[in-house]
Amino acid sequence: MSTLKAVNVSHPSAASPNLVLASSGSAAFAGAVTATSVTGGGLDLITPTSIAYSGGSASSSNGTTTFSAVSSLSLNGVFTSAYTNYRMLLRVNGTTATADASLLFRVRSNGTDFSGATDYYTMETINDNGTLSGYKYASSAISFGAISQYGNRYYGIYDILNPQTGGPVGVSGGESYTLNSGSNRYIAMGATILNVGSMDGLTIYLSSYAMTGTVRVYGYKGT
Amino acid sequence: MADVIETDYTTDPPTVTERDFTPEELAQREKDAADFAAAEAAAVAAAEDRAVRRAALLERLGITEDEAVLLLGGVG
């Protein structure tokens, strides 16, 4: 096997080397490193076309939406024909809550939440102190658990399946958080949203109080 | 302070619009609050009922809470 030895690798028109190789074996790139996506795999971080919120403040940059003391937050333009399935990472690391408050989720279209009275069918499996139980309900939103005085302990991860093509929409994932009593909750959930049209966005909101944190939505490549 | 603040990232710089709730949004919020209160009340009532029935069942079986958890496979 032959070895090509060089220190600097440059494009013919580049003013300085694109790649500098060190004797230690490391390599330094002069510019951004881009790679061709793997066909059918991976996730793309999606930047909303717009956001809307109540209370506090929020902004979106490079796919990360940061919110502070909001009671509701909507991301518009995250579901498009580019992807069929999506992943959402939700982190709440602050709250004004002094009691338990439900954290709820809806899909939306053209700036309006879809809120069919009983169109969100959810099943939760709750693991509390090792005792398993199930909770099933039909509602106008999906419960993503709760925040409390321990609102900095909330983590959620969800797959949102088929929101853009006219439904039914699947939502599957889970969250961990601590109730106001100090009791920890680890919930695996699944939901189906029926009678729903093509959705382009989502809303997370609290039944009361306000929350601070970040949310990211990714599109599954090749779906 | 406006009810809703919207930021449109399709413009450069982003366009910020402040507005009050639309009548539809306001109605939905009021309905959500009423639905949530009703659901909370129902959940509390159901939990209380379950606790009463559980206590009665344990008494009939003659076992303690800890023994019930052990019997049902929980880790306590």
Side-chain angles (χ1 to χ4, degrees):
Chain A
M1 186 178 74
S2 60
T3 300
L4 174 64
K5 295 193 176 185
V7 174
N8 299 320
V9 180
S10 293
H11 184 277
S13 302
S16 58
N18 302 84
L19 173 65
V20 178
L21 305 176
S23 58
S24 63
S26 63
F29 291 87
V33 178
T34 58
T36 302
S37 61
V38 177
T39 302
L43 296 163
D44 285 331
L45 185 57
I46 297 169
T47 297
T49 55
S50 67
I51 64 171
Y53 59 93
S54 293
S57 63
S59 62
S60 190
S61 177
N62 296 324
T64 298
T65 300
T66 303
F67 50 92
S68 177
V70 301
S71 60
S72 71
L73 172 69
S74 298
L75 307 184
N76 301 315
V78 288
F79 305 140
T80 68
S81 59
Y83 311 94
T84 302
N85 301 315
Y86 300 82
R87 169 153 291 196
M88 182 175 81
L89 301 182
L90 175 59
R91 168 78 169 116
V92 177
N93 56 17
T95 176
T96 61
T98 55
D100 293 329
S102 287
L103 180 51
L104 300 150
F105 169 89
R106 283 177 173 144
V107 288
R108 64 186 351 231
S109 177
N110 294 320
T112 300
D113 287 357
F114 175 72
S115 54
T118 58
D119 287 330
Y120 291 80
Y121 292 85
T122 305
M123 175 72 189
E124 296 177 346
T125 302
I126 303 171
N127 186 337
D128 181 21
N129 293 334
T131 302
L132 296 172
S133 61
Y135 182 45
K136 184 176 71 174
Y137 56 90
S139 183
S140 64
I142 296 172
S143 170
F144 276 2
I147 64 161
S148 68
Q149 63 174 324
Y150 303 107
N152 65 339
R153 298 181 186 176
Y154 186 98
Y155 295 89
I157 180 168
Y158 308 94
D159 280 336
I160 303 163
L161 311 172
N162 205 37
Q164 215 272 330
T165 55
V169 178
V171 180
S172 181
E175 58 268 345
S176 59
Y177 57 93
T178 302
L179 291 173
N180 220 55
S181 64
S183 178
N184 296 308
R185 287 286 188 274
Y186 315 98
I187 294 182
M189 58 77 63
T192 300
I193 309 170
L194 299 180
N195 304 312
V196 63
S198 176
M199 299 288 109
D200 59 23
L202 61 91
T203 294
I204 52 174
Y205 67 103
L206 293 174
S207 58
S208 56
Y209 303 111
M211 59 185 169
T212 295
T214 56
V215 60
R216 295 180 177 89
V217 176
Y218 301 82
Y220 278 94
K221 292 178 182 175
T223 70
Chain B
M1 183 178 173
D3 294 328
V4 179
I5 301 173
E6 297 176 327
T7 306
D8 182 352
Y9 289 102
T10 61
T11 63
D12 188 16
T15 307
V16 178
T17 306
E18 299 191 10
R19 63 174 176 81
D20 290 331
F21 291 127
T22 65
E24 292 76 16
E25 288 173 335
L26 193 58
Q28 186 64 56
R29 287 177 69 88
E30 291 171 349
K31 182 178 183 306
D32 288 345
D35 289 349
F36 182 77
E40 282 286 285
V44 168
E48 289 174 349
D49 177 63
R50 186 173 184 275
V52 168
R53 288 190 292 120
R54 179 180 174 83
L57 180 59
L58 292 177
E59 188 174 336
R60 262 176 51 204
L61 295 172
I63 61 174
T64 66
E65 284 276 358
D66 287 345
E67 289 168 335
V69 170
L70 188 62
L71 181 66
L72 296 173
V75 295

